[in-house]
Amino acid sequence: MDEISLIKNLPAWGIQTKKLLTSLLFKDLKHKNMSSRRTFIKKSGLFVLTSSLPFNYYLPQKKKKLGVALVGLGYYSRDILAPALQLTTQCELRGIVTGSPEKIPVWQKRYDIPDKNVYNYDNMHTISNNPDIDIVYIVLPNAMHKEYSIAGANAGKHVWCEKPMAMTVKECRQMIDACQKNKVQLTIGYRMQHEPVTQTIIGWRKTKPYGNIKSVLAEAGFYNSAGNPSHWKLHKELGGGAMLDMGVYPLNAARYTTGMEPVAVSARTEFTRPDLFKADERTLFQLEFPEGITANCKTSFADSINTLKVNCDKGWYQLKPFQAYGGVTGNTSDKQNLYAFTGNQQARQMDDDALAIINKQPPLVPGEEGMRDIKVVEAIFKSAAEGGKRVLI
Ligand code: NAD
């Protein structure tokens, strides 16, 4: 039987035979150039056969998605990350780690999570035996990031950790060391660095379409009603306060727009409701960068603010809002509009980070990047508490 009649008879054969046969034919054609390959496919009728089957049927099998276990099932996991994991193409939600037994049946039912992929904080280390889980994503109060990131790394799983990375540089270093020792990736959930409009202005620090950067204004905050006064975000010892929650956005933005590390910082903290906030309610900080560049930054649980403006010697550009889930949008001194990316920011972030693992490439936002912010945060807290400027080099 020649190749043509063989193909013509294919529809009558079993699906496995067709699959095998077609892959052999493609293998045989591997060394021919693309035009002879196309001619062969058309002439032989293979085009008709393949077009009647699912689009990717004859493509090499895609590597299976990486499995993610969310650690901590509060607001961000429940309302944002788990839904985003339904949109990702490189990873998917396969497991949960929680200290709240009442949440388990709800999550299992909604996301079809088997019993064997459900953990609590005491048995989380046994996740090491579970091949379904490749990544643990730490979405806990900030003061718990270090302990559970290290537990995940010691279980041999890649670690994604929410911002801010941890409470101190020392903790960040311990997390980095644990991940290096266990040969797993450590990635911080700075979603804005994955966002396309943000990436455009990050690129402008090199191409300088508006000239050299002179100063940056960066502000992020929201009105926190403090409806639950015992919530961890209001308490310093659990990593609460505006600076750690929202302040890392303007700080990170000042660093990613300039591409520089600050050399000095001065800061002050303000309270409008001192009875409710046991951590900073509003923090204002000024960063001094090399080349005389300054960044005036503000974060707050008392004001709704969301602006990043970069002033250059030949114009300016700004994003307003610069860190909203719904999209980043902005404009420039020469009246360009910077349009919003309408995709899901978290899905894009997690797919980027999963691809880094799959391709054995460094992640876009490694632990070292999170640690650089925490070094500045430590100086901000020191300056706010003691007054004066803190030199960072
Ligand atoms: P949350 O309070 O809604 O959830 C925290 C979870 O931790 C809850 O499920 C709670 O039960 C659990 N938990 C376990 N031990 C706890 C303890 N001792 N005290 C309090 N809670 C405990 O908080 P969230 O808003 O989901 O924030 C979680 C993390 O996600 C934080 O690091 C935060 O900065 C980060 N986050 C990031 C973004 C982003 O856009 N990247 C947005 C929101 C939150």
Side-chain angles (χ1 to χ4, degrees), residues 74-76 103 142 145 162-163 191 231-233 249:
Y75 155 72
Y76 197 52
K103 293 179 185 169
N142 303 331
H145 287 185
E162 254 317 310
K163 50 54 56 180
R191 64 192 154 81
H231 193 274
W232 68 269
K233 285 195 183 179
Y249 287 104

Side-chain angles (χ1 to χ4, degrees), residues 3 6 141 144 195 235 261 266 351 368 373 378 385:
E3 282 174 338
L6 179 143
M144 301 170 75
E195 195 279 330
H235 294 269
E261 295 305 320
S266 40
D351 271 341
E368 285 77 2
D373 269 359
E378 282 188 341

Side-chain angles (χ1 to χ4, degrees), residues 9-25:
N9 282 314
L10 273 171
W13 297 6
I15 206 91
Q16 285 308 324
T17 316
K18 281 191 275 181
K19 196 173 174 185
L20 175 70
L21 190 52
T22 311
S23 76
L24 285 173
L25 286 169

